[in-house]
C-alpha cells in the first residue's frame, strides 16, 4: 500500500486546511462592482466560471488571467485588480480540519507546505490548528515557493525523513501533487476550491489518492 511507510503528513493551507470560499466570494463581488464602474457588465457567476476555467488551464496568475478575459484595456484591468483585493481575514478553517489533525496527530507528525503571505504559523494558530503542526513552511516566511522542489527538500531536511515516508496533501495538481511525486513522495489530492477543475495531464500528475473532502483522508491513513 503506498501509504504504509508514511511518517510525516504535509498539508497545503489554502482550500486544504483552510477554506477560502468567503474570501473569493467577496473578491468576486468586488470585481463585479469594479467592472461595472468601468462600463463592463460581468456577472458573478460568469467570473466564477472563468476562475474555474483558468484553474483547469493551470493559469499561473489566476486573478490576472480572469481580469484579462473581460477587460481588453490595460487601464481597466489595473482598476479592477486594485479594487478587488483578496481579503485574507475572511478565511476560516475547514469545518473538519481540527478533528482531522487531532485524529492523525496521534499517529503521524504533521507539517505544512504552503504558498502564503508572511505569518502562516500565526494564522494557523488563530484558526486553532497550530498545536498539531511541528513544521510550518510558508513561502513568504522561508523564501521558497511551490512548485519549487527546494521547499519540499527543506521539509524533508527539517523532518529528518526520507521521501517515501512523506505524504503531501493538497488541492492543486501543479503546486502540490506533481512536485511531491517527482521527489518520491506519496500524494493525496483534495477536491476543493477552484483547483478541483484541474485534471492530470500525465502519469506524473496522477495523485496516489483523491478524496472529495479533508475528512476523507482519515480512512486512508488509519
Amino acid at each position: 500500500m503506498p501509504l504504509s511507510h508514511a511518517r510525516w503528513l504535509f498539508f497545503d493551507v489554502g482550500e486544504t486546511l483552510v477554506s477560502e470560499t468567503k474570501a473569493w466570494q467577496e473578491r468576486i463581488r468586488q470585481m463585479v462592482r469594479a467592472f461595472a464602474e468601468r462600463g463592463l457588465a460581468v456577472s458573478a457567476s460568469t467570473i466564477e466560471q472563468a476562475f474555474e476555467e483558468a484553474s483547469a488551464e493551470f493559469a499561473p496568475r489566476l486573478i490576472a488571467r480572469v481580469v484579462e478575459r473581460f477587460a481588453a484595456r490595460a487601464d481597466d484591468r489595473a482598476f479592477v485588480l486594485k479594487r478587488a483585493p483578496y481579503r485574507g481575514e475572511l478565511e476560516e478553517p475547514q469545518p473538519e480540519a481540527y478533528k482531522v489533525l487531532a485524529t492523525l496527530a496521534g499517529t503521524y507528525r504533521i507539517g505544512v507546505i504552503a504558498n502564503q503571505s508572511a505569518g502562516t504559523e500565526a494564522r494557523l494558530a488563530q484558526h486553532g490548528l497550530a498545536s498539531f503542526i511541528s513544521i510550518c513552511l510558508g513561502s513568504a516566511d522561508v523564501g521558497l515557493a511551490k512548485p519549487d522542489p527546494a521547499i519540499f527538500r527543506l521539509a524533508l531536511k527539517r523532518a529528518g525523513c526520507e521521501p517515501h515516508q512523506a505524504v503531501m496533501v493538497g488541492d492543486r495538481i501543479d503546486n502540490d501533487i506533481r512536485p511531491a511525486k517527482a521527489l518520491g513522495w506519496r500524494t493525496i489530492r483534495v477536491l476543493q476550491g477552484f483547483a478541483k477543475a484541474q485534471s492530470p495531464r500525465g502519469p506524473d500528475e496522477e495523485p496516489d489518492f483523491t478524496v472529495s473532502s479533508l475528512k476523507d483522508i482519515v480512512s486512508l491513513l488509519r
Side-chain angles (χ1 to χ4, degrees):
M1 180 179 176
L3 301 178
S4 59
H5 300 295
R7 290 180 47 225
W8 277 84
L9 308 178
F10 288 93
F11 289 82
D12 179 40
V13 172
E15 298 296 14
T16 302
L17 291 178
V18 171
S19 171
E20 298 176 338
T21 299
K22 290 182 179 179
W24 278 105
Q25 288 175 341
E26 176 58 23
R27 192 174 207 181
I28 289 172
R29 284 193 288 268
Q30 293 172 338
M31 291 173 69
V32 170
R33 291 194 292 268
F35 279 126
E37 288 183 52
R38 304 299 283 191
L40 302 168
V42 188
S43 69
S45 60
T46 300
I47 294 173
E48 184 173 352
Q49 181 179 351
F51 272 116
E52 292 174 355
E53 292 172 355
S55 183
E57 296 167 2
F58 295 84
R61 295 167 59 244
L62 203 60
I63 180 70
R65 176 69 66 86
V66 171
V67 171
E68 288 169 1
R69 177 169 175 173
F70 301 111
R73 292 173 39 175
D75 58 339
D76 288 338
R77 295 196 295 269
F79 180 85
V80 173
L81 289 171
K82 183 177 181 180
R83 294 292 293 273
Y86 181 81
R87 294 181 56 190
E89 72 273 15
L90 296 177
E91 295 178 349
E92 55 190 3
Q94 296 286 4
E96 64 271 26
Y98 185 93
K99 184 176 181 179
V100 167
L101 293 185
T103 299
L104 295 175
T107 304
Y108 304 92
R109 300 294 298 278
I110 307 294
V112 159
I113 305 174
N115 288 354
Q116 291 279 306
S117 57
T120 301
E121 191 167 3
R123 288 192 296 278
L124 290 171
Q126 292 174 354
H127 294 317
L129 304 177
S131 62
F132 303 111
I133 297 166
S134 300
I135 295 172
C136 184
L137 302 182
S139 57
D141 297 314
V142 300
L144 297 168
K146 298 181 297 185
D148 187 342
I151 196 169
F152 293 88
R153 294 192 184 102
L154 178 61
L156 293 178
K157 181 179 180 180
R158 292 195 180 179
C161 77
E162 298 298 320
H164 71 278
Q165 298 173 319
V167 179
M168 183 67 207
V169 182
D171 63 310
R172 290 184 56 162
I173 289 175
D174 49 349
N175 279 356
D176 301 314
I177 305 305
R178 183 172 59 203
K181 283 197 68 170
L183 293 177
W185 296 34
R186 304 283 70 80
T187 57
I188 300 174
R189 182 184 178 197
V190 186
L191 297 178
Q192 296 176 159
F194 293 129
K196 66 186 177 184
Q198 294 181 338
S199 296
R201 295 166 293 186
D204 59 330
E205 294 185 342
E206 289 283 355
D208 292 298
F209 296 95
T210 300
V211 296
S212 59
S213 69
L214 190 62
K215 67 179 183 296
D216 296 330
I217 73 170
V218 173
S219 61
L220 295 176
L221 293 161
R222 296 189 72 188

